[in-house]
Amino acid sequence: MHYGQREPPLYNLAKVTAPVGLFWGNTDWLADPTDVARLAADLPNLVLNYNVPKEEFNHLDFGWGIHANEYVYTKVLELFAAY
């Protein structure tokens, strides 16, 4: 109702000027690899496209996974330090 249509409008990702890092896992039900690939292709300033190298790393693991520090947080801090 907010947009006057069933789905929200598409964002013009060409206008994204900030450096962007994508973090995703193969079993993340909210970040399908096909969608991540499409997003990565459309972002003009993508500086990191990081697929967590743990096969069963899902959406909740980013916040509560016992290996989140090892697989994600150190990469996030490296990205922050670079920018």
Side-chain angles (χ1 to χ4, degrees):
M1 290 175 51
H2 179 76
Y3 298 108
Q5 58 194 45
R6 272 182 80 82
E7 297 179 7
L10 295 176
Y11 291 99
N12 181 357
L13 295 177
K15 293 183 177 183
V16 176
T17 59
V20 176
L22 298 178
F23 293 81
W24 56 283
N26 287 326
T27 58
D28 185 339
W29 59 88
L30 294 178
D32 184 88
T34 303
D35 294 335
V36 174
R38 185 180 55 173
L39 178 60
D42 290 345
L43 285 167
N45 205 10
L46 181 67
V47 296
L48 179 63
N49 184 359
Y50 182 69
N51 179 2
V52 178
K54 183 164 176 55
E55 187 57 38
E56 295 183 5
F57 202 87
N58 69 51
H59 199 74
L60 294 177
D61 288 324
F62 282 94
W64 292 297
I66 60 173
H67 299 290
N69 185 52
E70 175 186 350
Y71 288 110
V72 179
Y73 300 160
T74 54
K75 287 284 187 190
V76 170
L77 292 175
E78 289 171 8
L79 178 64
F80 286 171
Y83 297 92

